[in-house]
Amino acid sequence: MTILTVENLGKVYTGRFGGNQVRALNNVSFGVEQGEYVAIMGESGSGKTTLLNILAAFDRPTSGQVYLQGKDLTAVKESELAAFRRESLGFVFQDFNLLDTFNLRDNIFLPLVLGGMGYVEMAKRLQPIAQRMGITDVLTKYPYEVSGGQKQRAAVARAVITQPKLLLADEPTGALDSKSSDALMDLFASLNREGQTILMVTHSTKAASHAGRVIFIKDGELFHQIYRGGATNEQMYQKIADTLTLLATGGDGHE
Amino acid sequence: MNKRFYARLARQNLQKNIRSYGPYMLACVLTVCMFFIILMLSVSPSLQSMTGATTIQLVIRYGVIVVGLFAVIFIFYTNSFLIKRRKREFGLFNVLGLEKKHLARVIGLETFYMALVSLGLGLVLGAALTKLMLLVVAKLLGMPAPMGFFAGPRLLLTVIGVTAALFAAIFLLVFLYSVRQVYVARPVELLQAEHAGEREPKAKWLLALVGAACLGAGYYIAITTTDVLQAIFLFFVAVVLVIIGTYLLFTAGSIAILKAMRANKRYYYQTRHFTAVSGMMYRMKQNAVGLANICILSTMVLVMVSGTSCLMLGMDTALKERYPYDVNISRSDPATIEMVKKAVADAGIPAADEVEYDYITFAAYRRPEGLAVTTDYTMDTESSLADVLVTDLADYNRCTGQDYTLAPGEILLKVERADYTADTLALLDRTYTIKEQVDSAVKYGNLTPNLTSTWYIVVPDLDELARINAAVSAQMGVLEPEMQQEEGYRLRRFYGFDVPGHDDETALNARLAIRAAWEKASGDDAVDPEGTYECRAWERQDFVSLYGSLFFLGMFLGLLFTMAAILIIYYKQMSEGRDDRERFQIMQKVGMSRQEVKRTIHEQVLIVFFMPLVTAGVHTGFAFPILNRVMALFNLMSTEFYLWCVVGSFGAFAALYAVVYALTARTYYKLVST
């Protein structure tokens, strides 16, 4: 079953006085199946963050549609967006985006509390997730008191505690050391094995090599995509590296 | 690096930080301006030529000290706030290769420019406004407007010199503080300085309890002090306690309460409480001291403005209480009063509404069964002190237009500033039956401004009056013989009258005529040292110069403190806005709608900014009883009138506060939503 469908997506940024138009996304189309783990790669300025922002409904496209389980995201009313985002999507960001005013537990509870869930129910949900993320001992600590890896795992816990249809990650390993990065990627892979659909934007070849499919974007357009097939992480890594080389040396992809 | 580089950098820094330095500069300019004005007024020759100049200048000199102290604290405080916010910027400069001594040079130049602009504009503005202020003061004091320029060049230069010296010293202090801030920190610390304050605050229950205790004690003193003589001293004790209490409760108390709220999981994990409690905790940690400052400043403004405006507006009422008739005469020999009457008539002044009655007054102590005349007051406090005025029935009926009758042993009674509920009244060797507690008494101004209770007693006839007089004399005579000789304890006579149309000039003419007759009658004052003649129009001058100058000072300082409060509010909004921006964005990303975020933030900001105002209102409310008693010292006896002044001042201040809030909130939302 296709959970996410992106059709002819385009985004044009216009300068303040109407001039200076920048085409960030051009005619991008792809689909994500239920339970899939997709990585989106591209250089800085290739449009991948714009794409993610549109998928997360932080931004509206200038043309094209996004369907999440058949629902047109671009048509969701502004007033319903917050609830929609809270219930259907989970986010993991490069800079964690944890609130300094809450301890880790309360940060994880945040979307549930916003949704009006009772404390007992929340605590019941948190317990296995916290254990899984290995942050049970630091739940009462504040973001500035724990390591980057712990912060990011808390952020993942916050993203999955709502049981979202789609987990969106924006450079989740960007601010982590290699050891924490590896641990996080293993976590993503195991979440995916349990059926969580994941869409991840990343720079890191290593991170992307965990994914089932990698989509490459260049200058706002879909450049290429590769499937894992039966490949190991190492083989996948090699494939990605080759594609990136092609991308960098001026290959024209499918054009 | 050449010299121009530093100058340009300093200028650019000020321009770049215009949002924070602009209001600071404006506040400095206004502070200089106000200091110049009040200093100018304190030495102004045109004020010195006014009637009651000594009082006015005394009050205004007091104002100079307050404004000067305020300037030091205020400018220093604001600067330290600004420097703290710029630490990151300094850290960056430091990392980019500017040594600390170079930074010190830049800061020095910045401070120099600030001082130059503040002093330059402030002095020009001050000079321009001084004449206006002189006119205002003259108007308040009911004097003719002073003519010409307000000061000679020499005086002007002296005042400018003193102002410049004071503010140069303040800015030097500011400079040294800023440089110290940069010198003690390492570049990395400077870079991270802004994030240093984000640790979760600890709940300091002990401090919170001490704060509550201080506040409670302050309130208790304010409410329970009935003794007006102690009121003034205790008022300052209460003020200090309340200030300490306010700071502790704003800082430690708020955090402790919020922590307790958070500990209650069922309450805390509800959508609205969740963000509010944690958000408030963070805000209180950052802002508690600033908010407490706003609260104290607001309270000071409220107390000052309400008190002085009450004095000014209530002046005529107070005058009428103190001097019930245009002319009031008290004398122990009726012959002199007759001479006075003749003198007034000879001067061609028709006396209207004449009132004349015999009376005696003496001090006594309250006892459960009545009043005791004694000098053995070891068991008494000032609050049991009673002033007694006794008149006979015939005079009473005539003067008040009543038609009472009294049997022997019966009296009429009116008690002011105390309650007496018994049916009988023991006085000296007799116990009288109180026939009725009456509403009106003879008008006798001398007892009105008293802080102790006043007892008006009406006895059946002059014989009884004379008998009481003799008994009092005997009683006092036994205890203090020399006093008996001095005061004589003869019956006294009050004579009061109004002049046609209450015309001041006629009243003053009458006073002149009376003074001539008086001197002829007395020769020397030995005949009746207690005798007085008081003319309301004449006494008004003193009232006006005291109340008018107090009112001016109250408004002047009120304005200054309000300006400070506004500036603090503005800076709070600004720093809040910067801090909230990030939180605002994260909350939206995690699934809060724009409206929800806006609403929660709006609620919190409202609480944060209106808490000082509400607290200031509560402080003023609790201060009311004690202030009301202090007001009595200034002849203002109407609680209701003072209440209206307080309510009016609070209303006006709250309105101003709300306007300032609305204006600064725009800056805040601009910062948050971009």
Side-chain angles (χ1 to χ4, degrees), chain A residues 86 100 102 106 113 142 144, chain B residues 198 200 262 268-269 271 591:
Chain A
R86 199 163 61 216
D100 274 331
F102 288 121
D106 289 351
V113 176
Y142 281 76
Y144 48 80
Chain B
E198 286 177 8
E200 197 207 22
R262 201 176 60 178
Y268 176 55
Y269 289 108
T271 314

Side-chain angles (χ1 to χ4, degrees), chain B residues 371-484:
Chain B
L371 294 166
V373 180
T374 169
T375 49
D376 176 25
Y377 49 83
T378 42
M379 285 170 59
D380 295 293
T381 63
E382 285 97 335
S383 57
S384 69
L385 195 64
D387 277 305
V388 186
L389 183 138
V390 191
T391 50
D392 67 289
L393 184 67
D395 280 350
Y396 174 80
N397 277 341
R398 190 158 38 75
C399 293
T400 57
Q402 308 282 351
D403 195 17
Y404 283 103
T405 53
L406 288 174
E410 283 184 336
I411 55 165
L412 298 174
L413 180 68
K414 176 173 163 55
V415 185
E416 279 177 355
R417 292 181 293 280
D419 287 317
Y420 188 73
T421 47
D423 295 332
T424 58
L425 181 85
L427 179 64
L428 296 155
D429 52 342
R430 276 206 183 178
T431 298
Y432 298 92
T433 309
I434 300 168
K435 185 175 184 195
E436 194 177 329
Q437 295 223 4
V438 289
D439 293 330
S440 54
V442 292
K443 288 183 184 159
Y444 184 73
N446 254 327
L447 291 184
T448 316
N450 265 356
L451 315 170
T452 52
S453 58
T454 305
W455 302 58
Y456 296 95
I457 297 173
V458 182
V459 295
D461 48 39
L462 273 173
D463 288 345
E464 185 61 26
L465 187 60
R467 206 194 60 74
I468 294 177
N469 195 26
V472 172
S473 301
Q475 187 76 10
M476 299 305 277
V478 168
L479 296 161
E480 280 177 37
E482 71 276 13
M483 229 175 132
Q484 185 193 18

Side-chain angles (χ1 to χ4, degrees), chain A residues 100-204:
Chain A
D100 274 331
T101 50
F102 288 121
N103 61 24
L104 294 188
R105 185 194 7 235
D106 289 351
N107 262 298
I108 297 168
F109 279 164
L110 185 63
L112 295 184
V113 176
L114 292 179
M117 190 180 281
Y119 174 71
V120 181
E121 168 82 23
M122 291 194 299
K124 213 189 291 169
R125 274 205 198 181
L126 174 64
Q127 204 262 334
I129 292 176
Q131 205 151 33
R132 172 87 181 274
M133 306 290 161
I135 51 173
T136 311
D137 297 338
V138 292
L139 277 179
T140 54
K141 293 232 187 301
Y142 281 76
Y144 48 80
E145 293 173 310
V146 300
S147 73
Q150 284 168 324
K151 272 192 248 192
Q152 194 58 299
R153 275 176 278 144
V156 175
R158 179 179 66 186
V160 298
I161 200 166
T162 55
Q163 299 163 350
K165 292 171 188 145
L166 180 63
L167 180 65
L168 294 170
D170 184 7
E171 297 278 8
T173 58
L176 300 179
D177 58 68
S178 65
K179 209 170 142 224
S180 302
S181 293
D182 290 346
L184 188 73
M185 283 307 105
D186 288 342
L187 190 65
F188 269 38
S190 85
L191 282 172
N192 177 244
R193 276 196 297 277
E194 286 157 25
Q196 178 68 58
T197 316
I198 300 173
L199 187 77
M200 171 175 72
V201 165
T202 184
H203 251 114
S204 158

Side-chain angles (χ1 to χ4, degrees), chain A residues 58 82 85-86 91 93 97-102 105-106 109-110 113-114 116 119 122 142 144 158, chain B residues 198-200 262 265 268-271 274-275 278 282 583 586-593 596:
Chain A
F58 292 140
R85 214 178 275 147
R86 199 163 61 216
F91 300 97
F93 306 92
N97 275 343
L98 295 174
L99 288 167
D100 274 331
T101 50
F102 288 121
R105 185 194 7 235
D106 289 351
F109 279 164
L110 185 63
V113 176
L114 292 179
Y119 174 71
M122 291 194 299
Y142 281 76
Y144 48 80
R158 179 179 66 186
Chain B
E198 286 177 8
R199 264 167 206 290
E200 197 207 22
R262 201 176 60 178
K265 290 200 165 58
Y268 176 55
Y269 289 108
Q270 284 176 24
T271 314
F274 188 60
T275 44
S278 60
Y282 181 81
R583 290 158 21 83
I586 294 177
M587 292 227 188
Q588 268 185 294
K589 282 179 181 168
V590 184
M592 226 174 171
S593 71
E596 277 176 317

